[in-house]
Amino acid sequence: VQLVESGGGAVQAGGSLRLSCATSGDIFSVAIMGWYRQAPGKQRELVATISSRIEITNYAKSVEGRFTISRDNAKNTIYLQMNNLMPEDTAVYYCNAYSVIYDNAYNYWGQGTLVTVSS
């Protein structure tokens, strides 16, 4: 299973970016997909997740109302639309796929994409 993120970059505060995560392998259809981020000197934190079938979403309070996670099952891809970006959103953003299959847990990470927001 491979997860490949794209779409990071540098923007000014108030701007928008759209991250993508393309997934190879068979796990996408059954996995909870998510975005996490890690700012310099801080621990990795949850940004948003989306479940596999009925697409229940969950957001960190710090991004609720500004970020939207979505998935395209035909393309095995998830997205993170980020609006009204703030300097504190600066971080490396990681895509994650998590699933439990026959009592075995599977957890995969992408390589990360850097988002830099200037004030």
Side-chain angles (χ1 to χ4, degrees), residues 83-103:
N83 298 328
N84 191 22
L85 282 160
M86 301 186 291
E88 48 264 48
D89 295 319
T90 295
V92 177
Y93 284 71
Y94 296 91
C95 179
N96 175 262
Y98 176 80
S99 186
V100 176
I101 304 172
Y102 297 120
D103 294 330

PDB file of all heavy atoms in Angstrom, residues 83-103:
ATOM      1  N   ASN A  83      -9.422  26.214   3.558  1.00  0.00           N
ATOM      2  CA  ASN A  83      -9.760  27.609   3.299  1.00  0.00           C
ATOM      3  C   ASN A  83      -9.427  28.471   4.513  1.00  0.00           C
ATOM      4  O   ASN A  83      -9.269  27.961   5.619  1.00  0.00           O
ATOM      5  CB  ASN A  83     -11.252  27.744   2.984  1.00  0.00           C
ATOM      6  CG  ASN A  83     -11.658  26.990   1.729  1.00  0.00           C
ATOM      7  OD1 ASN A  83     -10.871  26.852   0.789  1.00  0.00           O
ATOM      8  ND2 ASN A  83     -12.885  26.492   1.717  1.00  0.00           N
ATOM      9  N   ASN A  84      -9.325  29.764   4.257  1.00  0.00           N
ATOM     10  CA  ASN A  84      -9.030  30.708   5.334  1.00  0.00           C
ATOM     11  C   ASN A  84      -7.834  30.237   6.164  1.00  0.00           C
ATOM     12  O   ASN A  84      -7.883  30.184   7.392  1.00  0.00           O
ATOM     13  CB  ASN A  84     -10.257  30.910   6.228  1.00  0.00           C
ATOM     14  CG  ASN A  84     -10.092  32.075   7.180  1.00  0.00           C
ATOM     15  OD1 ASN A  84      -9.284  32.973   6.952  1.00  0.00           O
ATOM     16  ND2 ASN A  84     -10.830  32.045   8.269  1.00  0.00           N
ATOM     17  N   LEU A  85      -6.770  29.907   5.488  1.00  0.00           N
ATOM     18  CA  LEU A  85      -5.582  29.383   6.164  1.00  0.00           C
ATOM     19  C   LEU A  85      -4.966  30.428   7.077  1.00  0.00           C
ATOM     20  O   LEU A  85      -4.990  31.647   6.786  1.00  0.00           O
ATOM     21  CB  LEU A  85      -4.564  28.907   5.136  1.00  0.00           C
ATOM     22  CG  LEU A  85      -4.891  27.536   4.526  1.00  0.00           C
ATOM     23  CD1 LEU A  85      -4.167  27.352   3.205  1.00  0.00           C
ATOM     24  CD2 LEU A  85      -4.535  26.433   5.499  1.00  0.00           C
ATOM     25  N   MET A  86      -4.422  29.949   8.170  1.00  0.00           N
ATOM     26  CA  MET A  86      -3.795  30.816   9.161  1.00  0.00           C
ATOM     27  C   MET A  86      -2.343  30.363   9.374  1.00  0.00           C
ATOM     28  O   MET A  86      -2.014  29.199   9.121  1.00  0.00           O
ATOM     29  CB  MET A  86      -4.582  30.734  10.474  1.00  0.00           C
ATOM     30  CG  MET A  86      -6.035  31.144  10.317  1.00  0.00           C
ATOM     31  SD  MET A  86      -6.941  31.209  11.870  1.00  0.00           S
ATOM     32  CE  MET A  86      -7.017  29.496  12.307  1.00  0.00           C
ATOM     33  N   PRO A  87      -1.484  31.251   9.838  1.00  0.00           N
ATOM     34  CA  PRO A  87      -0.080  30.862  10.056  1.00  0.00           C
ATOM     35  C   PRO A  87       0.069  29.629  10.938  1.00  0.00           C
ATOM     36  O   PRO A  87       0.995  28.825  10.713  1.00  0.00           O
ATOM     37  CB  PRO A  87       0.514  32.110  10.723  1.00  0.00           C
ATOM     38  CG  PRO A  87      -0.296  33.233  10.169  1.00  0.00           C
ATOM     39  CD  PRO A  87      -1.696  32.694  10.071  1.00  0.00           C
ATOM     40  N   GLU A  88      -0.836  29.440  11.881  1.00  0.00           N
ATOM     41  CA  GLU A  88      -0.732  28.262  12.754  1.00  0.00           C
ATOM     42  C   GLU A  88      -1.096  26.970  12.046  1.00  0.00           C
ATOM     43  O   GLU A  88      -0.959  25.887  12.625  1.00  0.00           O
ATOM     44  CB  GLU A  88      -1.601  28.436  14.001  1.00  0.00           C
ATOM     45  CG  GLU A  88      -3.012  28.914  13.723  1.00  0.00           C
ATOM     46  CD  GLU A  88      -3.139  30.429  13.875  1.00  0.00           C
ATOM     47  OE1 GLU A  88      -2.289  31.173  13.331  1.00  0.00           O
ATOM     48  OE2 GLU A  88      -4.119  30.860  14.522  1.00  0.00           O
ATOM     49  N   ASP A  89      -1.555  27.048  10.813  1.00  0.00           N
ATOM     50  CA  ASP A  89      -1.782  25.844  10.011  1.00  0.00           C
ATOM     51  C   ASP A  89      -0.492  25.354   9.340  1.00  0.00           C
ATOM     52  O   ASP A  89      -0.491  24.288   8.718  1.00  0.00           O
ATOM     53  CB  ASP A  89      -2.826  26.115   8.925  1.00  0.00           C
ATOM     54  CG  ASP A  89      -4.205  26.412   9.499  1.00  0.00           C
ATOM     55  OD1 ASP A  89      -4.602  25.729  10.459  1.00  0.00           O
ATOM     56  OD2 ASP A  89      -4.868  27.331   8.985  1.00  0.00           O
ATOM     57  N   THR A  90       0.569  26.106   9.472  1.00  0.00           N
ATOM     58  CA  THR A  90       1.849  25.704   8.892  1.00  0.00           C
ATOM     59  C   THR A  90       2.322  24.397   9.498  1.00  0.00           C
ATOM     60  O   THR A  90       2.433  24.278  10.719  1.00  0.00           O
ATOM     61  CB  THR A  90       2.904  26.800   9.110  1.00  0.00           C
ATOM     62  OG1 THR A  90       2.512  27.976   8.390  1.00  0.00           O
ATOM     63  CG2 THR A  90       4.273  26.344   8.642  1.00  0.00           C
ATOM     64  N   ALA A  91       2.569  23.418   8.646  1.00  0.00           N
ATOM     65  CA  ALA A  91       2.963  22.088   9.118  1.00  0.00           C
ATOM     66  C   ALA A  91       3.231  21.194   7.915  1.00  0.00           C
ATOM     67  O   ALA A  91       2.896  21.551   6.773  1.00  0.00           O
ATOM     68  CB  ALA A  91       1.861  21.468   9.976  1.00  0.00           C
ATOM     69  N   VAL A  92       3.789  20.035   8.199  1.00  0.00           N
ATOM     70  CA  VAL A  92       3.815  18.963   7.202  1.00  0.00           C
ATOM     71  C   VAL A  92       2.528  18.164   7.391  1.00  0.00           C
ATOM     72  O   VAL A  92       2.217  17.736   8.506  1.00  0.00           O
ATOM     73  CB  VAL A  92       5.044  18.057   7.378  1.00  0.00           C
ATOM     74  CG1 VAL A  92       4.993  16.913   6.372  1.00  0.00           C
ATOM     75  CG2 VAL A  92       6.322  18.861   7.212  1.00  0.00           C
ATOM     76  N   TYR A  93       1.804  17.991   6.308  1.00  0.00           N
ATOM     77  CA  TYR A  93       0.539  17.282   6.341  1.00  0.00           C
ATOM     78  C   TYR A  93       0.735  15.861   5.815  1.00  0.00           C
ATOM     79  O   TYR A  93       1.289  15.658   4.735  1.00  0.00           O
ATOM     80  CB  TYR A  93      -0.507  18.017   5.513  1.00  0.00           C
ATOM     81  CG  TYR A  93      -1.035  19.239   6.222  1.00  0.00           C
ATOM     82  CD1 TYR A  93      -0.224  20.366   6.392  1.00  0.00           C
ATOM     83  CD2 TYR A  93      -2.324  19.271   6.742  1.00  0.00           C
ATOM     84  CE1 TYR A  93      -0.699  21.487   7.067  1.00  0.00           C
ATOM     85  CE2 TYR A  93      -2.803  20.387   7.413  1.00  0.00           C
ATOM     86  CZ  TYR A  93      -1.981  21.488   7.569  1.00  0.00           C
ATOM     87  OH  TYR A  93      -2.448  22.593   8.237  1.00  0.00           O
ATOM     88  N   TYR A  94       0.245  14.908   6.585  1.00  0.00           N
ATOM     89  CA  TYR A  94       0.406  13.493   6.263  1.00  0.00           C
ATOM     90  C   TYR A  94      -0.947  12.839   6.020  1.00  0.00           C
ATOM     91  O   TYR A  94      -1.904  13.059   6.774  1.00  0.00           O
ATOM     92  CB  TYR A  94       1.084  12.751   7.399  1.00  0.00           C
ATOM     93  CG  TYR A  94       2.496  13.202   7.685  1.00  0.00           C
ATOM     94  CD1 TYR A  94       2.757  14.204   8.617  1.00  0.00           C
ATOM     95  CD2 TYR A  94       3.580  12.621   7.027  1.00  0.00           C
ATOM     96  CE1 TYR A  94       4.044  14.618   8.884  1.00  0.00           C
ATOM     97  CE2 TYR A  94       4.878  13.028   7.294  1.00  0.00           C
ATOM     98  CZ  TYR A  94       5.095  14.028   8.218  1.00  0.00           C
ATOM     99  OH  TYR A  94       6.386  14.433   8.477  1.00  0.00           O
ATOM    100  N   CYS A  95      -0.984  11.998   5.014  1.00  0.00           N
ATOM    101  CA  CYS A  95      -2.158  11.180   4.730  1.00  0.00           C
ATOM    102  C   CYS A  95      -2.025   9.862   5.487  1.00  0.00           C
ATOM    103  O   CYS A  95      -0.924   9.307   5.603  1.00  0.00           O
ATOM    104  CB  CYS A  95      -2.216  10.929   3.221  1.00  0.00           C
ATOM    105  SG  CYS A  95      -3.587   9.913   2.677  1.00  0.00           S
ATOM    106  N   ASN A  96      -3.140   9.356   5.975  1.00  0.00           N
ATOM    107  CA  ASN A  96      -3.141   8.116   6.747  1.00  0.00           C
ATOM    108  C   ASN A  96      -4.285   7.219   6.308  1.00  0.00           C
ATOM    109  O   ASN A  96      -5.379   7.686   6.008  1.00  0.00           O
ATOM    110  CB  ASN A  96      -3.280   8.431   8.235  1.00  0.00           C
ATOM    111  CG  ASN A  96      -3.414   7.187   9.079  1.00  0.00           C
ATOM    112  OD1 ASN A  96      -4.513   6.790   9.441  1.00  0.00           O
ATOM    113  ND2 ASN A  96      -2.299   6.588   9.401  1.00  0.00           N
ATOM    114  N   ALA A  97      -3.992   5.924   6.275  1.00  0.00           N
ATOM    115  CA  ALA A  97      -5.022   4.920   6.012  1.00  0.00           C
ATOM    116  C   ALA A  97      -4.982   3.909   7.147  1.00  0.00           C
ATOM    117  O   ALA A  97      -3.918   3.361   7.460  1.00  0.00           O
ATOM    118  CB  ALA A  97      -4.770   4.220   4.679  1.00  0.00           C
ATOM    119  N   TYR A  98      -6.141   3.681   7.753  1.00  0.00           N
ATOM    120  CA  TYR A  98      -6.214   2.758   8.882  1.00  0.00           C
ATOM    121  C   TYR A  98      -7.384   1.803   8.687  1.00  0.00           C
ATOM    122  O   TYR A  98      -8.493   2.223   8.350  1.00  0.00           O
ATOM    123  CB  TYR A  98      -6.392   3.524  10.191  1.00  0.00           C
ATOM    124  CG  TYR A  98      -6.579   2.633  11.390  1.00  0.00           C
ATOM    125  CD1 TYR A  98      -5.488   2.030  11.993  1.00  0.00           C
ATOM    126  CD2 TYR A  98      -7.847   2.366  11.896  1.00  0.00           C
ATOM    127  CE1 TYR A  98      -5.646   1.184  13.082  1.00  0.00           C
ATOM    128  CE2 TYR A  98      -8.026   1.519  12.970  1.00  0.00           C
ATOM    129  CZ  TYR A  98      -6.920   0.937  13.566  1.00  0.00           C
ATOM    130  OH  TYR A  98      -7.084   0.099  14.642  1.00  0.00           O
ATOM    131  N   SER A  99      -7.113   0.518   8.923  1.00  0.00           N
ATOM    132  CA  SER A  99      -8.186  -0.457   8.824  1.00  0.00           C
ATOM    133  C   SER A  99      -7.889  -1.650   9.713  1.00  0.00           C
ATOM    134  O   SER A  99      -6.731  -1.955   9.980  1.00  0.00           O
ATOM    135  CB  SER A  99      -8.345  -0.914   7.360  1.00  0.00           C
ATOM    136  OG  SER A  99      -9.473  -1.743   7.228  1.00  0.00           O
ATOM    137  N   VAL A 100      -8.938  -2.296  10.177  1.00  0.00           N
ATOM    138  CA  VAL A 100      -8.820  -3.546  10.921  1.00  0.00           C
ATOM    139  C   VAL A 100      -9.495  -4.630  10.081  1.00  0.00           C
ATOM    140  O   VAL A 100     -10.694  -4.532   9.791  1.00  0.00           O
ATOM    141  CB  VAL A 100      -9.465  -3.457  12.315  1.00  0.00           C
ATOM    142  CG1 VAL A 100      -9.393  -4.808  13.013  1.00  0.00           C
ATOM    143  CG2 VAL A 100      -8.766  -2.388  13.139  1.00  0.00           C
ATOM    144  N   ILE A 101      -8.708  -5.616   9.704  1.00  0.00           N
ATOM    145  CA  ILE A 101      -9.220  -6.702   8.858  1.00  0.00           C
ATOM    146  C   ILE A 101      -8.916  -8.015   9.544  1.00  0.00           C
ATOM    147  O   ILE A 101      -7.756  -8.346   9.787  1.00  0.00           O
ATOM    148  CB  ILE A 101      -8.568  -6.657   7.460  1.00  0.00           C
ATOM    149  CG1 ILE A 101      -8.800  -5.285   6.805  1.00  0.00           C
ATOM    150  CG2 ILE A 101      -9.109  -7.773   6.576  1.00  0.00           C
ATOM    151  CD1 ILE A 101      -8.035  -5.076   5.519  1.00  0.00           C
ATOM    152  N   TYR A 102      -9.958  -8.750   9.854  1.00  0.00           N
ATOM    153  CA  TYR A 102      -9.810 -10.032  10.558  1.00  0.00           C
ATOM    154  C   TYR A 102      -8.909  -9.877  11.777  1.00  0.00           C
ATOM    155  O   TYR A 102      -7.961 -10.640  11.978  1.00  0.00           O
ATOM    156  CB  TYR A 102      -9.230 -11.095   9.613  1.00  0.00           C
ATOM    157  CG  TYR A 102     -10.135 -11.399   8.445  1.00  0.00           C
ATOM    158  CD1 TYR A 102      -9.688 -11.203   7.143  1.00  0.00           C
ATOM    159  CD2 TYR A 102     -11.428 -11.871   8.633  1.00  0.00           C
ATOM    160  CE1 TYR A 102     -10.507 -11.465   6.060  1.00  0.00           C
ATOM    161  CE2 TYR A 102     -12.259 -12.134   7.558  1.00  0.00           C
ATOM    162  CZ  TYR A 102     -11.784 -11.935   6.268  1.00  0.00           C
ATOM    163  OH  TYR A 102     -12.602 -12.200   5.204  1.00  0.00           O
ATOM    164  N   ASP A 103      -9.198  -8.903  12.590  1.00  0.00           N
ATOM    165  CA  ASP A 103      -8.502  -8.624  13.860  1.00  0.00           C
ATOM    166  C   ASP A 103      -7.073  -8.143  13.679  1.00  0.00           C
ATOM    167  O   ASP A 103      -6.332  -8.019  14.659  1.00  0.00           O
ATOM    168  CB  ASP A 103      -8.500  -9.859  14.761  1.00  0.00           C
ATOM    169  CG  ASP A 103      -9.903 -10.218  15.226  1.00  0.00           C
ATOM    170  OD1 ASP A 103     -10.727  -9.288  15.355  1.00  0.00           O
ATOM    171  OD2 ASP A 103     -10.171 -11.403  15.456  1.00  0.00           O
TER     172      ASP A 103
END
